[in-house]
Amino acid sequence: MRIPDRAVRLATNGLTLAVLSGVCIGLGLSFGSGPLPSLGPLIEPAYAFDGTTAPSTASLSPNDGLRAPNHPSDGSDKAKALTALQYAADQGMPAAQWKLGQMYADGDGVPQDALRAFKYFSDIANSHPDETPGTPQARIVANAFVALGRYYLSGIPNTNVRSNPMHARELFAYAGTFFGDADAQFELGRLYMDATPSDPHEAARWFQLAANKGQCHAEASLGAILFEGKYVPRQAARGLMWLTLGRDCAGSDETWVKPMYDNAFHRASDDERAMALVYLEDWLKGRRD
């Protein structure tokens, strides 16, 4: 799959120049008057599944799959719901493809199968890479790019999907710039932070973009960078504000966030804590407005 021309045109848009510069640095590209070079196929061809006998779908419409409940009451209803959802996905409905991809990724109502999930996410990314940003379907497409990028970070064991961090970064960069996806922006920040050599300034910039959209991991990561002041000028109060936001929205399984917040809170001065509260109130007020 080739990056769509619409995404290429973003490189000459002054409003997005600052954002795109980080991606271009990471991909070894530079700005200029001409179009950016093609990055080649972003999604590898989907791999075939072992063949199964497909139930009859003659009486189904694509929307039937999306109307089907996630957890039907009995085995018969469950089989019908899954058949309807698979039919909708086969008809090219991104929402159905995304739903099935998530089900196979998580083992939710079906046997867990990362390769099947990868296939559904690939179908979305290959078919709708230039979906108009800001639409509900664009969110699905951006999520698919992020899911694929995460698979390429580590690969899928015992399959042809190998670990390819550079390819993962290309996918995150596309979702983070063209769609403005916060999860992709966080993943980019993390890649820049963990790179050898690392680029904390670039990481902080991507974390900032994602944190501004309420991405919890980015809020905590940005907060830690600002509070410590190792890589950027120290802003303890602002860092504590972001750490507070990250702590408040972190899930119960994200145990790394609270200790990071606790450490910063205990080390902060009274003035820094007070200023962090002012920043936090202003931030929350701005979100409500």
Side-chain angles (χ1 to χ4, degrees):
M1 184 188 77
R2 186 177 183 275
I3 289 185
D5 291 339
R6 186 189 304 179
V8 172
R9 287 197 297 271
L10 286 175
T12 58
N13 187 333
L15 296 177
T16 60
L17 187 62
V19 175
L20 280 172
S21 63
V23 177
C24 291
I25 291 170
L27 299 178
L29 305 176
S30 60
F31 292 108
S33 58
L36 295 178
S38 168
L39 298 180
L42 289 188
I43 313 298
E44 295 181 0
Y47 303 101
F49 302 144
D50 21 336
T52 56
T53 302
S56 172
T57 57
S59 62
L60 297 176
S61 71
N63 284 327
D64 288 334
L66 300 182
R67 288 196 293 267
N70 277 328
H71 301 285
S73 57
D74 57 51
S76 174
D77 286 345
K78 181 177 180 180
K80 290 178 182 177
L82 184 58
T83 298
L85 192 59
Q86 288 171 334
Y87 177 71
D90 290 343
Q91 300 306 302
M93 294 190 67
Q97 292 167 336
W98 172 255
K99 194 171 184 179
L100 279 169
Q102 283 292 89
M103 289 170 64
Y104 280 109
D106 299 335
D108 180 14
V110 295
Q112 191 170 26
D113 189 331
L115 191 58
R116 280 184 181 252
F118 179 90
K119 187 269 180 186
Y120 282 117
F121 296 141
S122 295
D123 286 346
I124 297 170
N126 281 319
S127 300
H128 303 275
D130 55 354
E131 187 72 31
T132 302
T135 63
Q137 187 154 291
R139 178 62 176 159
I140 293 172
V141 178
N143 285 343
F145 273 91
V146 173
L148 290 166
R150 288 170 176 163
Y151 279 124
Y152 276 115
L153 283 177
S154 56
I156 302 176
N158 304 315
T159 73
N160 290 327
V161 182
R162 310 298 186 193
S163 173
N164 189 337
M166 179 61 73
H167 198 41
R169 185 166 66 177
E170 291 171 348
L171 295 167
F172 294 143
Y174 185 70
T177 54
F178 184 63
F179 293 110
D181 184 85
D183 290 336
Q185 291 167 346
F186 166 72
E187 294 290 356
L188 278 170
R190 190 167 65 161
L191 285 174
Y192 277 111
M193 199 70 185
D194 296 341
T196 304
S198 66
D199 190 341
H201 290 86
E202 198 64 28
R205 192 153 62 83
W206 286 109
F207 288 150
Q208 178 80 66
L209 288 169
N212 286 341
K213 299 181 177 75
Q215 214 281 353
C216 299
H217 296 165
E219 290 172 344
S221 299
L222 177 64
I225 289 175
L226 293 177
F227 186 86
E228 295 296 336
K230 290 181 181 178
Y231 310 109
V232 298
R234 188 169 188 262
Q235 301 178 52
R238 185 75 66 181
L240 188 57
M241 179 207 79
W242 285 117
L243 281 165
T244 303
L245 289 167
R247 179 206 60 179
D248 289 348
C249 74
S252 59
D253 59 332
E254 294 160 336
T255 56
W256 58 277
V257 176
K258 188 175 186 303
M260 189 182 297
Y261 163 82
D262 289 341
N263 177 268
F265 183 82
H266 290 304
R267 290 167 54 199
S269 67
D270 290 342
D271 287 345
E272 289 167 343
R273 294 175 188 172
M275 185 57 66
L277 182 59
V278 172
Y279 287 148
L280 183 61
E281 290 173 346
D282 287 345
W283 168 260
L284 294 175
K285 182 178 183 297
R287 299 281 282 187
R288 287 194 297 269
D289 295 344

